Amino acid sequence: MKESEKIVSSVQIEEKKRAKEKIQLFLISAASVIVFLGIWEAAVRLSWVNSQFVCSPSEAFMAFVDKLTQPNPDGAVLGVHIWESLKLALIGYVAAAVIGVPLGLLLGYYHTFDKLVNPIFEIIRPIPPIAWIPLSVIWLGIGTTAKCFIIFLAAFVPCVINSYTGVKLTNSVLIDVAKTCGASRWKIFITVCTPSAMPLAFTGIRVALGNAWSTLVAAEMLSATAGLGYMIQQGRALGRSDIIIVGMLTIGVIGAVLTAVLNKLENRVIRWRAK
Amino acid sequence: MERRKLKDICLTCISLIALVVLWVIVSNSKPDFFPTPQATWERFLKMAETPISKTTIIGHILISLKRVLTALVLAVASGIGIGLIMGWSKKMNAVLGPILTALRPIPPIAWIPLVILWFGVGEFSKVLLVFIGAFFPVVLNTATGVSMVDPMYLNVGRVYNANTFQMLCHVVMPAALPAIMAGVKIALSSGWMVVVAAEMIASKSGLGFLITRGNESYDVALVLCGMILIGLVGAILSAVFTLMERWLCPWMEKKNG
Amino acid sequence: MSVDGKEKRVKLTLKNISKSFYARKEIFEAVNNISIDVYENEFLVILGPGQCGKSVLLNIISGLEKPTAGEVKFPSNDEKKVGFVFQKTAVFPWKTVMQNVEFSQELKGVNKARRREQAQYLIELVGLKGFENSYPRQLSGGMKQRVGIARAYCSDPDILLMDEPFGALDAQTRYQMEEEVLRIWEKEKRTVIFVTNNIEEAVYLGDRIILLSECPASVKEIYTLEALQRPRDYVDTEFLRMRETIEKNMDLAL
C-alpha cells in the first residue's frame, strides 16, 4: 500500500512541475512583450531614435483612439477606411472562392477540360497580382471594379490550384468503391472527389485570403481615395508615423481575425477530419 | 496510350491558339486598351535595343534579381536560425513567439510606407522590404518543422546518446528540412511579389519600374512586356528552386504536379 | 561464455518497476510493479495484449523514460550499452543504408574507415549487400527493418531491445524476418529483449516468455521454452501445445 501511495505522490509532483512550467512560459511571454514595448517607448521618449520616424506605443494608442472619430489628416475616420477595404476585399475574395474552387475541382476531374484550360492558367499564374494593377486601371478605371478585379485575381489562383490538386490526390480505391456501387461519373465527382479534396481546397482558400488582403493594401496604396492602404500611404506623405503604425496594426489585426473566422468555418465544414 | 497523348497535345494547342486569337480580336478592337501581339513583340525588340531610364532590359532584370536574392539569402539564413531556436527551446519560443505572431499578419507591402519613411527610397529599403516578406514564412515553417519532428526519430538519437549539436545536425535539421524548404519556397514567391510592388511604388529601376513607367507614359505595350518578363523570371526562379530542393533532399520522393 | 551452463549470469535486473502518468486529469497506470531478471545472451520475449505497457517498459530499460518507482540495474558494469530496434521503422529517411547503420558510431566519433568496415560487415550480415547507398524509400518494409537491426547491432550493445519490430510487416515477410533475426542472433550472440503481441512469434523466438497482463501491465506468468528445440517448427505438437497454453492465459485486448 505504501508503495502505491509513493507512486501517486510522485506522479502528482511531476504534474505540478508541468503546470508550473506552463505558467512560467506564459510569464516569459508576457515579460517579453512588456520589455519590447518598454524599450520602444523609452527609445522614443529618451530620443534614442528620431521621433519623426517612429512614434511611441502610447502615441500610437492615442492616435488610434483619435482616428476613431477624427477624419483628419487623411480624410476619413478609421471605421470608414476599414469598411472601404473590407468591402473590396470581401467582394473580390468571395467571388474568387465561389468561382475558383468549383473550377479547380472540375479541372482536376475532367481530363479534357484540364488540358484545355491548364496551359492558359500556367501562363497567367507566375505573374504576381500586383503587376496587374496598372493594366486593370487602364481597362477598368480607378474605381471599385478595378480593385475588385485585382483582388479576385490574387485569390483566384490559389483556390483553383489547391482544389485541382485535391481532386488529383483522391485515393483511387475510394473511387473504385463508388464505381462498384454503380455510381455515375458525376455522382463520383460529387460524393467522393469533392469531399476528399476539401482539406486542400481550404488550404487554398486560406492562402487566397492572405493574398487578397495584401494585394488590396497594394492596390489602395497605388490608387485609391480611401481604405487602409490609402491611409498608410497618406501617413507617409504627411510624415505621420503614428498614422502609418495604426494603419499597419489595423491591417494586421483584421487579417488575423479573417483568418480565425475562416479556420472556424473550415472546422465546421470538415468535421470528419482528425485533428 | 499514343492516341491519348496526341489528343492532349491537340487540346493544349487549341487552348493556346484560342488565347492568341482572343488576344488579336480584343487588341484590334481596342488597341489603346490592349496592344496587339505584334505591337507587343515590336515593343519588346525595341526595349532590348534602347535602354529605359538609362538601364538596359537585362540591367533591369539583374537589378530586380539582385534585390530579391540578397534579401532572400539573409532571410533564409536568419529565419532558419531563429526558427530552429524557437522550435527547439520552449523558452525561446515564449520569448519570441508573441512578437512574431503580432507582426506576422501584417502584409509585407504594408511595411512600404514605414520603411520608406525610415530609410528613404534607396536600395536598402527595397532589400529590407523583401527581407520582411521572406523572413516570416521561413521562421514559421522552420519552427513548426522542428517542433513537429517525429519523437521516434528523437528517441533514436537519445538511445545512442547524441549531444544537442549532433541531435540538431543528424536528426532535427534533416527531419525538418522538407518543411523548411516549403517555407523557403513561399518566401521566394512572396519576395518576388514584394520586390515588384516596391519597384512599382518607389523606384527608378527594376522590372516593377518598367510597368509603372509604361503606365505613366501611356505605353500599354511596355506594361504588358513588363508583366510577361516578371512572370517569366518568377517561373524560372521557382524552377531553379525545385532543382535545388531535389539536390538538397535526395532522399525525398519526387512529387508529381 | 557458455549459455548452456546451468548457472546463468544475470545481465540486467528490473526491480519493482512501476510507471504512471497523468492523462486527462487522471492518474493512468501503465506498468505495475514488474520485477524481472534478464540473463546473459538469452532471447527474452515480453508478450502482452494490445496497448498494455510493453513499450513503456522497454523505454524504461533503454533509459528513454524514467520509472515512477523501482530501478533498472546492470550488475556487470555500470555503463549501459543498449541497441534499440524501434516499432515501425525509425530508420532515418534522409540517410543512406550505410549512414543509418553507422549512426551510433559516427556520434561516438569513431573514424570513418573503421566504422565503415564494421557497418559493412553488419549490412552483409543482415543480407543487404549492394544496398549500402540506397535511401530507405527505395527499400521494402522488411528491408527497412533489417537496416534497423543492423543499426542496433552497430552500436555494439550488451542488450538489444526490439519493440514489435515486425508488427507492420505482412505475414510472409514476418515469418522470414523471424528466421533472420534468429540467424543473426545465433551468429552474433547478444542479450535480446523482444516485445510482441503475437503469441506464435513469441513461441518461435523466445528462450523465455514473460506474459504480461493487460493495463496496468504486471507479470502474469513466465514460460521457459528451453525444451523446445531450435530451429522450431510452427506446426510441431509441442509448439502448438505451448501456444495454446499461453493463448488461454492471455488477456484479451480491446
Side-chain angles (χ1 to χ4, degrees), chain B residues 87-184:
Chain B
W88 188 246
S89 149
K90 278 187 190 159
K91 284 195 179 138
M92 286 311 285
N93 191 28
V95 172
L96 297 172
I99 295 168
L100 282 178
T101 317
L103 293 180
R104 185 176 63 113
I106 300 174
I109 290 166
W111 285 87
I112 291 177
L114 198 61
V115 168
I116 290 178
L117 186 70
W118 286 350
F119 303 106
V121 288
E123 258 341 89
F124 179 76
S125 289
K126 269 151 230 147
V127 172
L128 179 63
L129 283 168
V130 179
F131 177 86
I132 292 170
F135 178 71
F136 287 103
V138 177
V139 170
L140 287 172
N141 270 46
T142 307
T144 318
V146 168
S147 61
M148 302 243 291
V149 173
D150 192 333
M152 185 174 66
Y153 293 134
L154 297 178
N155 279 345
V156 178
R158 278 165 64 202
V159 162
Y160 300 118
N161 303 317
N163 58 38
T164 307
F165 178 72
Q166 289 171 328
M167 204 69 149
L168 287 176
C169 286
H170 287 280
V171 184
V172 175
M173 275 293 274
L177 201 53
I180 295 173
M181 291 310 272
V184 175

Side-chain angles (χ1 to χ4, degrees), chain B residues 18 24 26 41 45 61 66 75 99 118 154 164 167 198 203 223 236:
Chain B
V24 169
V26 171
W41 178 244
L45 290 180
I61 294 176
K66 199 184 103 195
I99 295 168
W118 286 350
L154 297 178
T164 307
M167 204 69 149
S203 182
V223 174
I236 291 171

